Structures are given as C-alpha cells and as structure tokens.
Amino acid sequence: MIKRIYIISATICVGLGLAGTFIPLLPTTPFLLLAIFLFMRSSKSGVKMILRNKTLAPYVISYFSKEGIPFNILLRTIALLWLTIGSCILWATDNIYVRLLLGAIATGVTIHLVCKRKKS
C-alpha cells in the first residue's frame, strides 16, 4: 500500500515538474527531485524514466552534476525569478509582510543559484 502511495505521489510530482517547464512560476527541479526521491523508494524504473527523458533529465542532471549552471542560463533564470516575484510584490499583494516574505524567498533562491554557478 505504501509503495502505491509513493508511486502515485511521484507521478503527480513528475506531472507538476513537467508543467513547470511551461509555466514560469511553477518550479520544475524541486518537483522532479521529490519524484526521484519517491521513485527510489517504490520504483527504480520511475527513476530511470526521469533520467532518460530528454525534457526532464537536464533539470535533474544539471542539479546533481559538479559542473554547475552555465552563466547564460543562470542570468535568464535569475531575471525571470525577479521579474515574476517582483511583479507579485508590486501588484499581487498590499500586505507588507507578504511582500517581505516574497523578497526574502527571491533573495534566498538567487543566493542558492549563484552558489550552483558553473565554475570557470
């Protein structure tokens, strides 16, 4: 029963991760990492499916690799992050605490991405 719950949860995470490749505000990599975690406890073929998929594999492989994120992709990712979160800060809420929280999240993600930057 637990194995089925893991497989269903992992499949949902893969679907959300796939949707995240098209929807800018939906994170791709965290959902795929969670799917791999769940598949590792339930279905090794699920892990292989993600790692062999030409659309999904680059997100996971680049995250785990020691090479880091190429500079041009890093710049685009950070620009899109701040554009989307910045627009939410400006127009989606009037609550100062929510604005501060969104700013803190964007700052934390930016720091994380810069630390994953490709070493040259």
Side-chain angles (χ1 to χ4, degrees):
M1 184 66 175
I2 298 282
K3 186 175 179 178
R4 286 184 182 174
I5 292 172
Y6 280 156
I7 291 172
I8 291 169
S9 300
T11 304
I12 291 169
C13 288
V14 169
L16 290 171
L18 185 61
T21 62
F22 302 105
I23 302 171
L25 292 176
L26 193 63
T28 301
T29 305
F31 284 121
L32 294 177
L33 293 174
L34 181 57
I36 286 179
F37 173 81
L38 294 168
F39 275 138
M40 288 177 73
R41 282 154 177 69
S42 60
S43 169
K44 302 295 183 204
S45 62
V47 175
K48 290 178 186 176
M49 181 269 307
I50 293 173
L51 295 177
R52 290 182 181 157
N53 185 291
K54 69 177 185 174
T55 304
L56 302 177
Y59 290 97
V60 178
I61 292 170
S62 69
Y63 187 85
F64 285 122
S65 75
K66 300 288 187 215
E67 294 176 16
I69 302 170
F71 188 70
N72 60 339
I73 294 175
L74 177 71
L75 283 180
R76 282 189 293 163
T77 303
I78 292 173
L80 183 61
L81 168 76
W82 281 98
L83 179 70
T84 54
I85 290 186
S87 63
C88 289
I89 289 171
L90 293 175
W91 297 299
T93 183
D94 290 332
N95 188 325
I96 188 69
Y97 297 112
V98 173
R99 287 180 172 182
L100 290 171
L101 177 64
L102 289 172
I105 291 169
T107 302
V109 171
T110 301
I111 291 168
H112 173 73
L113 289 172
V114 169
C115 289
K116 295 292 285 183
R117 186 174 69 83
K118 187 173 190 169
K119 309 293 186 268
S120 32

